[in-house]
DNA sequence: TAAGATTGAGTCCTCAATCTTC
DNA sequence: GAAGATTGAGGACTCAATCTTA
């Protein structure tokens, strides 16, 4: 029970982090009518390029059904367009429209501004270390999911 | 756009962290019939002692309506008991039962074991630094919420 | 009037079932 | 049969409305 001292704080802070993050960033749809999940999916498509839905689901680490509904919403809003893959008629390839790219860039600025405010008194080394440890944690969880 | 290099990875890793964490730990109810949220609320009551619902909601950083439903579920399962506050007839005070304490201790062991596996190749210094930075991030988000 | 608590409506996610195409 | 994708059911959370008591 000795290393409870080591893992206890991690468990507690992570739990709080999840709930606080969702409360801070997961605000209801803005005037544009789109929410956090739509923004994040649009970001994936904008930065990493077009992809089919199953690929997006894997990259975003969510269920395919979620991506299916999100893409339908983004498509209805005119932010992405869907093109049928001529080589595989089961699949669709999703691409951002110009409107979608503009929308994402505006949203990203608001997001980054909030992040800069929150981490204003951190040193660059701390910010880099936070991203690095977070990345290692993600890698460990991914490996655990594979190995299961 | 220069510090996109600094905040971009943070945004990306945190987004992935949230989704992966939920997939890894937010499994559907086990044989006991209770899920992650019930476990976390029970942990709060077990470790920090009895409290009324509004206090629990504040500590857990979720809406009061969520805690209200969670407490009702835990009470139905016999893991917590509710006592009316004699000094304030609006409020109830929630306490864990012996059954609830046992349940939480068993669950915590499973949780800690998974955490130990995931972070097995981290140094103690890295684990401590991760918890510390996470705590600072939480503090920054809490301050931002207050100041709004 | 404000605080403690409950309930109903709407949204996002997971899981399971289904359909189409490889 | 397996992979890409869609749809329906159920759970958890947010928000708003409501009720009771301080």
């Amino acid at each position: 029970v000795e290393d409870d001292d080591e893992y206890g704080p991690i468990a507690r802070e992570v739990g709080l982090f999840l709930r606080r993050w969702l409360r801070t960033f997961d605000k209801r749809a803005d005037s544009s009518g789109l929410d956090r999940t739509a923004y994040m999916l649009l970001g994936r498509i904008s930065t990493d390029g077009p992809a089919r839905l199953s690929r997006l689901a894997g990259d975003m680490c969510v269920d395919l059904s979620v991506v299916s509904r999100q893409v339908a919403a983004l498509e209805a809003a005119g932010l992405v367009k869907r093109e049928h893959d001529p080589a595989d008629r089961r699949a669709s390839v999703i691409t951002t429209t110009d409107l979608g790219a503009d929308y994402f860039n505006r949203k990203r600025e608001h997001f980054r501004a909030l992040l800069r405010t929150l981490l204003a008194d951190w040193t660059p080394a701390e910010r880099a270390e936070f991203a690095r440890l977070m990345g290692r944690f993600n890698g460990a969880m991914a490996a655990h999911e594979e190995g299961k």
Side-chain angles (χ1 to χ4, degrees), chain A:
Chain A
V1 202
E2 276 74 13
D3 52 12
D4 276 358
D5 295 326
E6 209 178 345
Y7 293 93
I10 294 178
R12 178 165 286 244
E13 295 300 339
V14 168
L16 196 55
F17 178 78
L18 261 80
R19 294 188 293 273
R20 278 209 185 280
W21 180 277
L22 292 178
R23 284 182 80 84
T24 303
F25 293 100
D26 194 18
K27 291 307 173 199
R28 274 284 170 275
D30 62 359
S31 54
S32 308
L34 282 157
D35 54 20
R36 178 187 63 93
T37 60
Y39 160 74
M40 301 202 68
L41 179 59
L42 192 57
R44 160 61 183 79
I45 304 171
S46 293
T47 54
D48 293 344
R52 57 179 58 180
L53 276 78
S54 52
R55 175 70 183 274
L56 292 174
D59 290 358
M60 301 287 294
C61 197
V62 292
D63 195 79
L64 180 59
S65 64
V66 177
V67 174
S68 176
R69 289 180 243 250
Q70 286 173 341
V71 165
L74 288 171
E75 191 182 15
L79 301 179
V80 304
K81 60 177 185 290
R82 178 190 309 245
E83 286 154 353
H84 291 283
D85 188 340
D88 185 345
R89 288 196 301 178
R90 295 173 302 178
S92 304
V93 178
I94 311 301
T95 317
T96 52
T97 62
D98 291 342
L99 186 66
D102 291 345
Y103 177 84
F104 173 67
N105 288 332
R106 276 202 313 279
K107 280 293 178 186
R108 182 168 61 177
E109 266 324 293
H110 291 123
F111 180 81
R112 290 278 169 86
L114 179 49
L115 215 48
R116 272 192 290 268
T117 301
L118 291 175
L119 305 183
D121 59 343
W122 291 36
T123 67
E126 284 176 323
R127 288 191 284 264
E129 182 68 358
F130 184 72
R132 187 186 74 85
L133 292 174
M134 201 66 109
R136 277 190 70 187
F137 208 128
N138 287 332
M141 287 192 285
H144 179 263
E145 191 173 13
E146 298 287 332
K148 256 302 177 53

